[in-house]
């Protein structure tokens, strides 16, 4: 991997990171706090990547439309009449007004509130009233509506998860998900059932801290002692290109835990896809996905969708109990991630030093970050 010089465009030095010897340092504080680094992530990293932007079940009906932002680009996700989900730049082709500003069902047409240009759910421009003059259907000479449809953005839906790639030149989606798909151990999405989505709100930390925290299992037995019962040494590291995380294989799912059902002590997969996709599987019957939306260098919006993988429909009490368990786990993670962010304000803060055993995948994640913003 080539880590090219970034110092002209990014404030702060990455020399120590690039030059670290057998003991690896982490990214310097500026990568988490600096506006310039954040601007580079918005301009380069997120648009070039496959980014999770939403849950398909939240836009179930034809005409359901959800505005999202990737980098600085306003986008819209639209459920079409054929059931497919498409993504477009959220920009009217007349005068570039942001078309949709809140989730809504638009019926069959996306109508601009300014001069009433209307687009089909497929993005095609359908009407431009009085554009050519006094006649309602007139258009100026040389104007071809076919050339003025909404600009489409590359979009892929995998099970309940909607991804977009703004640049259009990320690797093919199948290749992107392959390293995670290969670790699903026969998981059948047809059988899976949504339990619910937890809104965790804005967390005062950089998005990378949430990712790194999920990738490394080193903290689990210390931070989650009240919600999990998985000894560190049961974990092994997954470090496979842009798929990073860890896993635990236990022989007997009924072993471990305190027997109360209030803790997690099961075989698990904690897997990520660069940059922001987080997938957890908890045997025998649960999985979860984090929707991480970076909104500033020190702020990340987080939601979590919980699913039963065997199709079990939980009663309300069990569903609430499960949601509360996950809220508690996330809170434990948020607390340390917020303090990671706060620690970066210190004059003595640097890249720290990473465990060559437990945090090698964190380091590889960080190298991918630096490579993506350096392009
Ligand atoms: S800006 Fe959309 S119709 Fe004029
Ligand atoms: Fe954690």
């Amino acid at each position: 991997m080539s880590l090219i010089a970034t110092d002209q465009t990014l404030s702060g030095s990455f020399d120590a990171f690039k030059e670290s010897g057998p003991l690896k340092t982490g990214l310097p504080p500026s990568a988490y706090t600096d506006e310039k680094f954040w601007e580079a992530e918005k301009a380069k990293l997120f648009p070039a990547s496959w980014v999770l932007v939403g849950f398909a079940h939240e836009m179930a009906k034809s005409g359901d439309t959800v505005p999202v932002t990737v980098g600085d680009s306003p986008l819209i996700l639209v459920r079409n009449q054929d059931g497919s989900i498409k993504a477009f730049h959220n920009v009217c082709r007349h005068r570039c007004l942001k078309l949709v500003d809140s989730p809504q069902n638009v019926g069959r047409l996306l109508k601009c509130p300014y001069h009433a240009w209307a687009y089909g759910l497929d993005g095609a421009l359908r009407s431009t009233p009085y554009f050519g003059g006094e006649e309602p259907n007139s258009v100026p000479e040389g104007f071809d509506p076919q050339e003025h449809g909404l600009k489409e953005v590359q979009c892929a839906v995998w099970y309940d998860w909607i991804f977009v790639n703004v640049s259009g030149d990320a690797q093919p989606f199948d290749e992107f998900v392959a390293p995670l798909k290969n670790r699903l151990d026969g998981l059948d999405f047809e059988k899976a059932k949504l339990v619910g989505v937890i809104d965790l709100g804005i967390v005062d930390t950089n998005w990378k801290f949430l990712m790194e925290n999920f990738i490394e299992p080193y903290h689990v037995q210390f931070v989650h002692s009240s919600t999990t019962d998985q000894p560190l040494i049961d974990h092994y590291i997954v470090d496979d290109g842009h798929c990073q995380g860890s896993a635990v294989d236990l022989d007997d799912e009924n072993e471990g835990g305190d027997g109360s059902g209030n803790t997690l002590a099961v075989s698990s997969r904690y897997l990520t896809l660069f940059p922001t996709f987080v997938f957890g599987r908890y045997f025998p019957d649960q999985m979860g996905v984090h929707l991480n939306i970076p909104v500033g260098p020190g702020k990340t919006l987080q939601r979590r969708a919980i699913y039963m993988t065997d199709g079990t429909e939980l009663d309300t009490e069990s569903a609430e109990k499960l949601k509360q368990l996950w809220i508690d786990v996330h809170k434990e993670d948020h607390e340390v991630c917020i303090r990671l962010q706060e620690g970066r304000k210190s004059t003595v803060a640097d890249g720290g030093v990473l465990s060559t055993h437990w945090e090698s995948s964190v380091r590889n994640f960080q190298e991918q970050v630096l490579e993506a913003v350096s392009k």
Side-chain angles (χ1 to χ4, degrees), residues 92-97 99 112-117 119:
C92 177
R93 298 297 308 283
H94 176 217
R95 300 275 302 282
C96 302
L97 186 117
L99 265 183
C112 181
Y114 202 8
H115 310 96
W117 282 30
Y119 304 85

Side-chain angles (χ1 to χ4, degrees), residues 48-50 154-156 163-165 167-179 181 242 273-274:
S49 306
W50 282 108
Q154 187 159 231
C155 177
F163 293 82
V164 296
N165 165 230
S167 69
D169 55 16
Q171 66 191 133
F173 187 74
D174 287 348
E175 265 176 37
F176 168 70
V177 292
K181 259 189 180 167
H242 63 278
L273 290 173
F274 185 84

Side-chain angles (χ1 to χ4, degrees), residues 322-338:
L322 188 56
K323 284 187 196 169
Q324 192 54 53
L325 169 62
W326 282 114
I327 289 170
D328 293 344
V329 173
H330 278 267
K331 269 192 193 151
E332 290 167 342
D333 284 320
H334 292 170
E335 224 167 273
V336 289
C337 289
I338 290 166

Side-chain angles (χ1 to χ4, degrees), residues 109-148:
L109 290 173
L110 284 143
K111 212 170 187 182
C112 181
Y114 202 8
H115 310 96
W117 282 30
Y119 304 85
L121 302 181
D122 59 357
L125 182 57
R126 293 284 161 75
S127 95
T128 56
Y130 299 99
F131 188 44
E134 293 177 3
E135 291 301 318
N137 296 323
S138 61
V139 291
E141 198 166 325
F143 179 78
D144 181 357
Q146 286 190 8
E147 288 171 12
H148 295 268

